[in-house]
Amino acid sequence: MSQHHFDVLIIGAGVSGIGMACHLKRECPGKSFAILERRQSLGGTWDLFRYPGIRSDSDMFTFGYNFRPWTGGKVLADGASIKNYVRETARENNVDRHIRYGLKVITADWSSADKCWTVVAEEESTGEQQTFTTEFLVGCTGYYNYDHGYKPDFPGESDFKGQVVHPQHWPEDLDYAGKKVVVIGSGATAITLVPTMAEKAAHVTMLQRSPTYLMPLPSTDKVTLGLQKVLPEKLAYRLTRARNISISRLLYQRSRKSPRAMRRLFLSIIRRQLDGKADMRHFTPDYNPWDQRLCVVKDGDLFDAIKSGKASIATDHIERFTETGIRLKSGETLEADIIIPATGLEIQMLGGIKPRVDGQAVVMRDKIIYKNVMVEGIPNAAMIFGYTNISWTLKVDIAAEYLCRLLNLMDKRGYRSVVARDTGDSRGEDTILGSLNSGYIKRADDRLPRQGTHGPWKSTQNYLEDVKTLRFEPIEDGYLEFDGKRTRAGAEASGGFLRPLRSALFGS
């Protein structure tokens, strides 16, 4: 068994892992590091999902990294373009050579005596195991199971004579031209699949138990294209980011503060898009905006497919699968050659790794999150966990910057270990995903860490607040123990209110 040592070990070479590695390279140039990636390619989500129309559900000017502009006017990019952006970012920052592919992490053990982690990874193609030791471990694995998505056990599924295809395992040779397709679900995957498949299929039906809030968004930003013609690339990028962050935050905050007004706004937008060609009951959720994620409709393509008759929506419950399709509880039958259960993700923390601290297994549900970056009671470790209400990568950037600040402070002070300790019984009942009540979150209640009721234990999902906390507040805040002792630094100059605000909107 081969053994390797690095100052920092990053698990996962997706958007988060590459972002963390780039910040580490830029801000902690003396640190040795490696990225362990189970797959044979970088990209994470954007390498795994291959279904037709796969694209971002966030605008690329906020989804892109703050240190590398997303160029062009495309707002919602396809999966291949996003993966290429991540690949080029890794190459330009010289972190691609630090990736070790095909390694699945089996165990991760912290030793307080040795002040280090021992990580055992298996090369899945050969079964050979490798051991890594590291002073600091960073989980960048996202929050869902890559091996399989969530799919209910549908009554009579074995009776169906057609194909059942889950979006997470899309066969490259699937031929759906001229066929009847039923997509089960109403989330981002279904919203993307239905109009894309309707271009070739005989007909596509989106079968949902309940509607989702939808928002049409143009795929090209003409204002940004104009800015790029007259301004330097980085300045145009920062201005567009600032605008889009402000709009996203405004929509979210108004949805939480004035849900009735925002509900009327969203429904009026959809009503205009449909132009009387579909029943609004299929587009009227029974919950408030942002109790679940808002789904973006690229160029209104879903509404166009419905108005053209190439696609339709059924709001009902499944009674059972039949030989030729799905029978609904209303008695209606949906004929299908292909059924696609776009029924969601299966939540999994740290890619399924179950860390141990001094031989004791860590139960994530019993832990609370610190600044949404570290986990209480787990030394020298962090999780890069993005936003759910705005672009994931906005949090990746500032969380990575915070960890680099932390590592540099530890080097400066000569500290060998750091751990967040909750001594004030701060634990709340909300998970780190906050107030979202989507099905995939409810199903994962038993495996998600909690957030606290106040202070750094509470996850705000507020980008401007997090910028202030992660970029400018002192690292030594009295909540962290360094080498077993709590420290609190004096207040650091933050440049007042304008500096965090300017940094949040325009980048570091």
Side-chain angles (χ1 to χ4, degrees), residues 469-488:
T469 298
L470 296 176
R471 278 192 181 148
F472 300 105
E473 288 186 356
I475 296 290
E476 297 172 287
D477 59 0
Y479 293 95
L480 295 179
E481 288 183 2
F482 293 93
D483 292 346
K485 297 179 181 178
R486 290 198 170 210
T487 61
R488 181 185 291 275

Side-chain angles (χ1 to χ4, degrees), residues 66-80:
N66 64 14
F67 56 86
R68 185 174 186 269
W70 172 263
T71 56
K74 188 179 289 186
V75 178
L76 301 175
D78 60 87

Side-chain angles (χ1 to χ4, degrees), residues 344-362:
L345 307 170
E346 181 175 291
I347 297 290
Q348 178 177 264
M349 301 306 298
L350 294 175
I353 304 166
K354 293 180 171 54
R356 292 190 294 260
V357 174
D358 294 327
Q360 297 296 312
V362 174

